[in-house]
Amino acid sequence: MGRGPDMGNGIILKVAVGVCCALAVFALASCAPKNAAVGDTGSSSTDAPAHVDSPGETQTVAIVGSANGADGLVEEALDADGYKVVLTPVTDADSMTDTDAATAARIQAVRDAVGRNVSLIVIGEADMAHQTKQWREVLQAARSAGIPVVLLNPVEAPDDATLFAATFIVNDRMMDATPVGEAARRVIEDEPHERDIVVTTLH
């Protein structure tokens, strides 16, 4: 009977720990900043950066695109800048005569990238006028996970600007174009940047 106070204190401690755990889970339920895209500009939002890697950690960029053309050049440039790049080729999807099937392949590749919890997702030449509901769902999943999304040379961007941080337009002939590795860093670290960025893959 003499251990009654200790037991009471133990119960209180367990309740306190349970409450703290519940609050932590709630806080991590969504890393998306309010009314802004993850990695949007870093200038107008009072929220802290939504996606922050550990200091010294190699940042992983998932590219959904083709090994050829601009997508491949961006992959090589980011790799040379020290990023860990994961390219999901969609060449086969691009050659599909069924537009819905091609779009579904791209959406699935983005969904897989979200599951890998990468630092940045780059979607090459996507036409988001098709299967808009599915695009919205997968981009919202990336946003909720705190992963910024960049559209590379997009055919059609989504109407909701909170679903992507920026568009990159590759132009290796423009002298004042931003190096793609630097543009990616600004988006990942939520630093001020333009919504539409002309980038170069040249070093």
Side-chain angles (χ1 to χ4, degrees):
M1 295 294 292
R3 294 190 302 172
D6 292 336
M7 292 179 64
N9 291 337
I11 292 173
I12 292 173
L13 178 61
K14 288 180 181 179
V15 171
V17 170
V19 170
C20 290
C21 290
L23 291 174
V25 170
F26 178 77
L28 294 173
S30 175
C31 297
K34 185 178 180 181
N35 300 323
V38 175
D40 196 345
T41 63
S43 59
S44 60
S45 175
T46 57
D47 295 321
H51 185 96
V52 180
D53 293 309
S54 300
E57 178 182 334
T58 300
Q59 294 166 329
T60 302
V61 179
I63 300 178
V64 177
S66 171
N68 302 315
D71 303 346
L73 293 175
V74 168
E75 177 196 15
E76 293 175 4
L78 291 177
D79 183 68
D81 284 339
Y83 292 90
K84 179 180 179 181
V85 185
V86 180
L87 173 65
T88 301
V90 290
T91 305
D92 292 340
D94 291 338
S95 65
M96 293 178 183
T97 56
D98 185 346
T99 302
D100 285 341
T103 300
R106 287 177 177 274
I107 291 172
Q108 183 58 50
V110 175
R111 186 175 293 112
D112 293 342
V114 173
R116 287 194 294 268
N117 194 32
V118 297
S119 305
L120 175 69
I121 298 174
V122 177
I123 307 173
E125 301 181 352
D127 184 355
M128 297 182 179
H130 298 281
Q131 297 192 28
T132 54
K133 179 176 181 293
Q134 289 82 354
W135 271 121
R136 174 179 290 276
E137 289 174 350
V138 75
L139 293 176
Q140 183 62 56
R143 184 174 186 273
S144 296
I147 302 174
V149 172
V150 164
L151 307 181
L152 177 65
N153 294 344
V155 176
E156 185 72 31
D159 294 334
D160 187 349
T162 67
L163 297 177
F164 64 100
T167 61
F168 286 0
I169 307 299
V170 176
N171 188 337
D172 288 340
R173 291 177 292 183
M174 184 173 288
M175 297 298 293
D176 59 348
T178 304
V180 68
E182 172 62 17
R185 185 193 65 79
R186 292 177 188 174
V187 172
I188 292 172
E189 297 183 6
D190 198 22
E191 290 188 359
H193 61 78
E194 300 294 330
R195 289 283 299 179
D196 300 312
I197 308 173
V198 178
V199 299
T200 178
T201 63
L202 302 180
H203 285 81

